[in-house]
Amino acid sequence: MHDDVPVLIVGGSLVGLSTSLFLASHGVRSLTVERHPGTAIHPRAAMFNQRTIEVYRNVGLEAEILEASRLEFEQDGAIVSVESLGGRELEYYFRNVNEGYEPLSPSPRLFITQIGLEPILRRHADELGARLEYSTELMSLDQDADGVTALVRNRDSGAERTVRASYVVAADGTRSPVRERLGIPLLGHPSFSNSITIYFRANVKPLVGDRNLSVVYVFGPTLQGFFRFSLAGDAGFLVVNTTTNADGERNRDLWADMGEGRCVEYVREALGAPDLAVEIENVQQWNACAQWAERFQDGRIFLAGDAAHTMPPTGGFGGNTGVADAHNLAWKLACVLDGRAGAGLLDTYDPERRPVGELTVEQAYTRYVLRLDPELGKEDIQPFVPDPPIELGHRYRSSAVIAEGDDDGSICENPHEPTGRPGTRAAHVAVDGRSTLDLFGRGFVVLSAAEPWCAAARGAGIDAHRIEAPGFAEAYGTGTEGAVLVRPDGFIAWRAREARPDRERELSSALARVLSR
Ligand SMILES: Cc1cc2nc3c(=O)[nH]c(=O)nc-3n(C[C@H](O)[C@H](O)[C@H](O)COP(=O)(O)OP(=O)(O)OC[C@H]3O[C@@H](n4cnc5c(N)ncnc54)[C@H](O)[C@@H]3O)c2cc1C
């Protein structure tokens, strides 16, 4: 049997599902193959940043995700470091993860597990016509000048078939068989801990008390890792990254003893409750490393999510970065597949996403060293960058951005002080009870306070919105006479800071350049 599809997605977890959802929202057919029989069975990612919720908002899912998140967590909690849950508090990284973040976005940072989120993504992708095949494994793939031929196998029946796709997105996780097959090396910090995650049941309510704790780092004298707890306070997981013996020596290999008795000891120790009844439900082993792929693209094949960058959970960046990859790639694939753009547009994925991936991996590593394992060496880490620039302040440079002259080379900027520079995320400004962000998502959009720019945009076949709301001209750097051209992913492609003589021609030519036409 032979199957033709514009885009084949390998891996149907968080990033594969997001890719299929975003492609479907642009009207692109895709087939996702996932070797597991269904969506996530382990919670893993839970902290989703404003950018991630914004892009799900863009495809109409925010309300449903917010509702589902409340079933799992009390929102707006703290991220704290303790010696043990019942013991001394060391440092609050956040008292409330949303405090001070409200002006940045109409969407909150929120906690929902992959178990809660993935079925929502799957259902909506499915409703929009995306094909998702579980218990189906990619066996091999080969690309030629016109497409990619993949061999896939149903793991239940053993039946094999070939799939012919114009493009492949490899969202096949940290060990990415596709990346390996392409021979793309990893850069960064290889394995620094054979970590474990212990899923347990125990009554932690008396130890939590009246605190609203989203993430609890444990930096005890003998154990280093972190907790998350269930809403009811009757279960949770403990990640153990390292232990320290009486001589102060670090043990970074927790795989050597994952027996149930040992795991009960770990949980009791980290809770600071030596006699508490603890039932171990499951123990997972995983490797902490902080690495990114040397290339995110090989011809018609793109790496996204953990396949492109793997980082420790410190900071809660891994899944979010993968969702941003998917969002960056989806509109580009859509434009190329329907002929609006030249194939060169796809070559902007790597230069836009790889520097962001590298920055984010390094920042997750910096947080890991500072919060959990300083002995890895503070001299080997990048200076700490606060969360907002990492989550919302990306600055892209590629042929899909028409840069201005004043480039200081920074990979991110502070979203509390938006500049409107081409290559940055178009800022949230409240407009008639909505957000400027609600104007983005499908095609290109021109925003301007000046009607002549809007008229010129419409003449050039581009949607336009005249924005007279307070704060717009400052946040976008357009003044009252300029305009911005915003890409379907909500990033600014081009800007004029003043009135120009031939606006329609200027906009048409900017769009053609950005689309590699
Ligand atoms: C304890 C923990 C806590 C975390 N907390 C956070 C957090 O708070 N916030 C955050 O953003 N991130 C967090 N992360 C990271 C986050 O879980 C990952 O970044 C995210 O799951 C990556 O998603 P992915 O889809 O790229 O890869 P994966 O989830 O690894 O999925 C890859 C999929 O590809 C499939 N696959 C592989 N090979 C094939 C093949 N040949 N054929 C078919 N299918 C294949 C696999 O079965 C798998 O389902 C955490 C991680 C851990 C371990």
Side-chain angles (χ1 to χ4, degrees):
M1 189 183 149
H2 183 79
D3 196 353
D4 273 321
V5 69
V7 182
L8 172 67
I9 300 164
V10 185
S13 177
L14 178 66
V15 175
L17 287 172
S18 297
T19 308
S20 78
L21 172 69
F22 297 143
L23 284 172
S25 77
H26 286 292
V28 176
R29 286 188 303 118
S30 68
L31 167 67
T32 300
V33 291
E34 166 56 55
R35 58 196 301 281
H36 289 139
T39 51
I41 55 165
H42 297 299
R44 293 203 293 164
M47 170 145 171
F48 288 94
N49 67 34
Q50 288 173 301
R51 181 65 191 153
T52 298
I53 305 305
E54 279 172 8
V55 300
Y56 291 143
R57 174 189 175 98
N58 245 224
V59 292
L61 297 193
E62 184 179 45
E64 193 175 337
I65 292 172
L66 284 173
E67 196 182 321
S69 74
R70 291 188 201 109
L71 303 176
E72 291 192 324
F73 292 99
E74 188 180 347
Q75 300 298 324
D76 300 328
I79 301 185
V80 66
S81 173
V82 298
E83 273 187 357
S84 69
L85 182 65
R88 195 157 66 96
E89 289 179 351
L90 298 173
E91 185 177 356
Y92 272 85
Y93 302 120
F94 293 95
R95 295 263 169 195
N96 164 350
V97 291
N98 276 305
E99 199 175 326
Y101 281 69
E102 297 88 346
L104 295 175
S105 172
S107 303
R109 300 168 108 194
L110 67 82
F111 278 81
I112 179 169
T113 66
Q114 290 182 227
I115 295 176
L117 178 60
E118 288 184 14
I120 298 175
L121 306 179
R122 176 181 177 177
R123 192 168 56 253
H124 284 271
D126 199 43
E127 280 167 11
L128 290 172
R131 286 167 60 203
L132 306 160
E133 287 185 19
Y134 288 85
S135 299
T136 304
E137 188 168 18
L138 175 87
M139 305 302 290
S140 66
L141 85 180
D142 290 295
Q143 58 177 323
D144 53 56
D146 305 317
V148 185
T149 303
L151 180 67
V152 302
R153 176 175 160 273
N154 183 294
R155 298 180 84 200
D156 297 329
S157 66
E160 292 186 345
R161 71 180 203 275
T162 54
V163 176
R164 180 77 178 158
S166 299
Y167 298 99
V168 169
V169 180
D172 53 350
T174 185
R175 283 193 288 274
S176 178
V178 173
R179 188 191 66 228
E180 301 253 306
R181 174 173 272 270
L182 295 170
I184 300 177
L186 291 172
L187 308 174
H189 311 270
S191 175
F192 40 85
S193 156
N194 288 336
S195 298
I196 57 172
T197 305
I198 306 168
Y199 296 91
F200 64 89
R201 300 200 70 79
N203 178 15
V204 299
K205 262 191 295 196
L207 295 163
V208 173
D210 58 7
R211 295 175 292 181
N212 176 8
L213 302 177
S214 293
V215 180
V216 178
Y217 285 91
V218 181
F219 191 80
T222 56
L223 182 151
Q224 297 77 37
F226 72 91
F227 275 122
R228 278 205 323 250
F229 302 113
S230 67
L231 184 59
D234 58 355
F237 73 67
L238 171 68
V239 163
V240 188
N241 297 113
T242 59
T243 54
T244 310
N245 70 17
D247 297 326
E249 289 160 356
R250 287 267 175 167
N251 171 25
R252 297 190 173 87
D253 181 10
L254 284 305
W255 297 354
D257 181 5
M258 295 173 31
E260 189 167 331
R262 190 76 191 95
C263 289
V264 169
E265 279 174 31
Y266 284 144
V267 174
R268 286 180 173 156
E269 201 174 320
L271 289 172
D275 304 317
L276 191 72
V278 173
E279 184 192 330
I280 304 298
E281 291 191 316
N282 185 285
V283 187
Q284 293 288 314
Q285 58 181 53
W286 54 280
N287 188 249
C289 54
Q291 293 180 292
W292 60 92
E294 191 184 68
R295 295 174 274 130
F296 284 15
Q297 180 188 1
D298 186 295
R300 293 173 170 272
I301 304 169
F302 301 87
L303 305 181
D306 279 15
H309 37 67
T310 309
M311 56 197 97
T314 31
F317 299 140
N320 288 294
T321 312
V323 174
D325 294 339
H327 194 248
N328 182 284
L329 190 51
W331 73 270
K332 294 176 180 174
L333 284 167
C335 286
V336 172
L337 282 163
D338 72 11
R340 268 177 295 163
L345 180 62
L346 294 172
D347 297 337
T348 66
Y349 173 68
D350 173 277
E352 292 192 355
R353 291 304 303 164
R354 193 165 36 80
V356 169
E358 178 178 341
L359 167 88
T360 314
V361 167
E362 288 288 13
Q363 287 301 313
Y365 184 67
T366 292
R367 283 159 175 72
Y368 184 88
V369 172
L370 295 178
R371 293 178 185 177
L372 293 168
D373 196 353
E375 284 147 36
L376 283 175
K378 290 189 190 172
E379 57 291 335
D380 189 30
I381 59 174
Q382 302 278 317
F384 179 89
V385 176
D387 289 7
I390 299 170
E391 297 179 354
L392 296 164
H394 308 157
R395 186 159 173 200
Y396 294 153
R397 291 173 186 81
S398 76
S399 60
V401 170
I402 300 176
E404 295 173 351
D406 60 340
D407 192 343
D408 64 1
S410 60
I411 300 163
C412 57
E413 54 179 44
N414 180 3
H416 284 286
E417 293 163 7
T419 59
R421 273 196 198 107
T424 60
R425 162 184 163 274
H428 156 63
V429 175
V431 187
D432 301 331
R434 293 175 72 210
S435 166
T436 39
L437 305 193
D438 296 329
L439 305 172
F440 313 141
R442 306 288 307 163
F444 281 78
V445 177
V446 166
L447 303 185
S448 175
E451 182 51 32
W453 275 114
C454 296
R458 290 183 201 109
I462 306 169
D463 274 351
H465 299 274
R466 188 166 175 198
I467 312 283
E468 292 171 297
F472 166 73
E474 296 76 19
Y476 283 72
T478 52
T480 52
E481 297 295 323
V484 285
L485 175 67
V486 181
R487 309 187 323 187
D489 61 351
F491 275 72
I492 296 170
W494 164 95
R495 173 172 67 173
R497 311 188 73 164
E498 64 288 306
R500 301 252 175 103
D502 191 349
R503 297 179 183 86
E504 188 173 322
R505 188 189 52 78
E506 191 143 356
L507 281 168
S508 298
S509 116
L511 184 63
R513 269 178 71 186
V514 166
L515 288 176
S516 293
R517 284 203 300 241

